[in-house]
Amino acid sequence: NSTITLDLKEGYQTVKLIDIHGHEIIRKTLNSQTGKVTMHLPGLQAGMYIIELSGVSFLQQKVYITK
């Protein structure tokens, strides 16, 4: 198991980890939290994943690659 730390500058409502096929692996409620947020990741297979950050009126996506 591993972790990922996000440094949030804006107050997001939720963060999701999504696999390349669009399946949601993890969802965490943030309640407009800012600063460093750590997510514990389950035993992920090597590959590419999307980290989706959702706010009240905005959405941001980042690519996460694990080996």
Side-chain angles (χ1 to χ4, degrees):
N1 291 351
S2 59
T3 61
I4 186 169
T5 301
L6 306 171
D7 190 7
L8 304 177
K9 307 278 189 238
E10 299 183 45
Y12 294 97
Q13 299 298 312
T14 59
V15 60
K16 297 180 200 174
L17 181 68
I18 302 167
D19 71 14
I20 197 68
H21 303 289
H23 300 113
E24 186 176 302
I25 308 296
I26 299 173
R27 175 191 294 251
K28 183 173 182 175
T29 302
L30 300 175
N31 295 322
S32 298
Q33 182 177 348
T34 57
K36 294 193 184 294
V37 173
T38 300
M39 290 180 61
H40 297 280
L41 305 177
L44 297 176
Q45 294 185 2
M48 186 166 55
Y49 296 85
I50 305 294
I51 297 173
E52 183 178 280
L53 298 159
S54 302
V56 174
S57 60
F58 50 90
L59 176 74
Q60 185 174 11
Q61 294 182 328
K62 304 279 186 182
V63 175
Y64 174 72
I65 299 174
T66 184
K67 295 181 181 182

